[in-house]
Amino acid sequence: MNRWLFLAFFAVLLAFPMTCPAPLTYRPGEGWVYESVGGGGKWVRTRAKDQLEVAQAAYDKGDYGTSLKAARRTVKVWPLSDYAPKAQFLLGQTYEKKHQDELAFKAYQTLLEKYPKLDNFEEVVARQYEIANRFLGGQWFKLWGYVPFFPNMDKTADMYEKVIRNGPFTETAPQAQMKIGSAREKQADFPLAVKAYERAADRYHDQQTVASDALYKSGLAYHKQTLKAEYDQGTAEKAMSAFGDFTALYPEDPRVPDARKKISNLKSEQARGSYEIARFYEKKKRWDGALVYYSDVVEIDPDSKFAEEARKKIEQLRLKVQNRPVPDPVQPDPAAAVQPAPKANP
């Protein structure tokens, strides 16, 4: 009986062979690796160099599925090898080819964080910047990397933030900061857009092209904010201040005439606002308040049509104020003046 049990057990072992543990081996340029016995497929290799070559060859042929698997295996099995950074970069490239830009951006981010001493560091940051640009242009983000799920300017701005942190001294950093402002404008979040542009003007003040563009666009963002809802005098003042600084600092810029025109329009709008308030006070026969606001009209925009009308109103109201009857002084009431003395307590 025992003999038959032994034979049955031996048959099971033959039917379901087990792989022996792979020995730990050190290879120069790859580090410590486990030598696998056999292969897991035609694309599987036992050395990092060979595995990366498979990934690159598949990428060059347009076989992006195999390229992803081979590159991913290179990084996973030989993370400390000299070939891992190249494989991680190839992952990002392959995701881009598959139009999975968010996964590509993350692959590049992992590359920069795990292998910061890259030879092509600036190229990787530039590729992240281009991916963010595509999302800024309206490309949809995808759930789990596959299901389209609308544009998202918050995520886009966050991508640009990462680009700046990854390469603060690269050529793409100033442009990324400006694009954050563009993303916020697409959200119609003009206060955040202004903040992004002002940060660009301050951070890159030594780069005239960036600084001038940032200052001009901050004025535009303020100006758009004044048009978004009910007119805001405070925001208009900030817009005029930004445009004023722009014209003073960069007088040769071709956008100066446009900035001056917008300042003029904003002043005209301010004058109109004060003029309407003055008319309100005038209708209520509150001459002093009306005079204050008509005077503001003349001071804000002396050459406007509102200023011309305000001057006429000021002359008319001054005459009314001068000819206004002076009220008689209040006479004391004799009966109220004589009061009985309080009684003393017993």
Side-chain angles (χ1 to χ4, degrees), residues 141 151-162 180 183-184 187 189 192:
F141 282 85
N152 188 317
M153 289 301 114
D154 284 328
K155 286 187 176 182
T156 302
D158 184 62
M159 282 183 166
Y160 286 122
E161 290 283 4
K162 284 186 172 69
I180 293 173
R184 296 309 184 188
Q187 291 179 301
D189 192 336
L192 280 181

Side-chain angles (χ1 to χ4, degrees), residues 330-346:
V330 178
Q331 298 295 329
D333 185 356
V338 179
Q339 299 291 339
K343 296 181 179 180
N345 291 329

